[in-house]
């Protein structure tokens, strides 16, 4: 990037989408690409970007990497989880949808010690989405994320759910 020239956010979103689709196509072989070209460091800044398309595509890529190559996320796993949690209430349903989907993918693979402190926050936000969202796919991904959380932290989830059941 030239100094003084702002980055093309649409191009950034497209590049993130290409990487996401590549991961989805390669599935469990995604790690082979990451060993040659590690693009993990671009995800967090993309998810923090002001441009909605970049942020949304960043969360999609985050979810695909969590799904297909979680072991390559190493030291950024907690940061990714916190980023996704911070965007579950995002004003854009598409951004919130990608954040909650990526969080659900991470829930099944995070170490219990990392997941345990945020189970309450995940349950609270997912239940809020389920009861308040008018966006079907967002509600579906909230329900799926709760299910995945239950697989990883059944005891903690079981203790919290009665607070949210209607």
């Amino acid at each position: 990037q030239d100094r003084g020239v702002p980055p093309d956010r649409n191009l950034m979103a497209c590049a993130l989408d290409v990487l996401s689709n590549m991961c989805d196509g390669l599935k469990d072989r995604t790690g082979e690409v990451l060993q040659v070209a590690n693009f993990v460091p671009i995800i967090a800044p993309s998810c923090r970007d002001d441009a909605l398309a970049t942020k949304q595509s960043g969360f999609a890529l985050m979810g695909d990497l969590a799904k297909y190559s979680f072991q390559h996320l190493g030291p950024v796993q907690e940061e990714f989880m916190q980023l996704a949690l911070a965007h579950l209430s995002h004003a854009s349903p598409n951004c919130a949808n990608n954040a909650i989907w990526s969080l659900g993918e991470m829930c099944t693979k995070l170490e219990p010690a990392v997941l345990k402190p945020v189970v309450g926050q995940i349950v609270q936000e997912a239940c809020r989405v389920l009861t308040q969202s008018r966006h079907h796919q967002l509600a579906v991904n909230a329900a799926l994320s709760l299910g995945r959380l239950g697989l990883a932290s059944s005891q903690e989830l079981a203790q919290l759910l009665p607070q949210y059941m209607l």
Side-chain angles (χ1 to χ4, degrees):
Q1 166 180 328
D2 293 334
R3 291 188 179 169
V5 177
D8 183 335
R9 296 302 202 270
N10 288 328
L11 182 60
M12 287 173 58
C14 287
L16 292 165
D17 288 341
V18 166
L19 291 171
S20 183
N21 286 311
M22 178 191 67
C23 293
D24 198 36
L26 290 173
K27 301 197 181 325
D28 293 334
R29 297 187 66 196
T30 299
E32 295 172 28
V33 174
L34 289 171
Q35 291 174 347
V36 176
N38 183 8
F39 50 84
V40 172
I42 67 169
I43 297 172
S46 298
C47 293
R48 289 187 187 102
D49 197 87
D50 292 334
L52 183 59
T54 305
K55 186 182 299 273
Q56 181 178 327
S57 296
F59 281 113
L61 180 56
M62 180 189 293
D64 282 326
L65 284 179
K67 185 175 183 176
Y68 298 120
S69 193
F70 190 74
Q71 68 277 14
H72 287 91
L73 299 183
V76 297
Q77 292 172 2
E78 285 187 62
E79 178 185 14
F80 280 12
M81 182 187 58
Q82 291 300 326
L83 273 169
L85 276 168
H87 286 82
L88 296 185
S89 297
H90 196 277
S92 164
N94 292 333
C95 184
N97 184 57
N98 286 359
I100 202 162
W101 172 73
S102 67
L103 185 62
E105 291 295 337
M106 286 186 273
C107 281
T108 61
K109 296 175 179 140
L110 281 166
E111 292 295 322
V114 174
L115 193 55
K116 188 174 182 174
V118 295
V119 168
Q121 186 179 358
I122 296 169
V123 171
Q124 180 180 357
E125 287 299 314
C127 288
R128 182 197 55 75
V129 168
L130 284 171
T131 58
Q132 297 176 7
S133 179
R134 290 178 274 140
H135 302 280
H136 176 73
Q137 193 58 46
L138 180 56
V140 166
N141 276 326
L144 289 170
S145 292
L146 278 174
R148 290 176 177 141
L149 179 63
L151 292 172
S153 298
S154 57
Q155 293 297 321
E156 292 83 0
L157 181 64
Q159 292 171 1
L160 292 170
L161 272 184
Q163 300 173 39
Y164 298 98
M165 300 309 287
L166 300 175

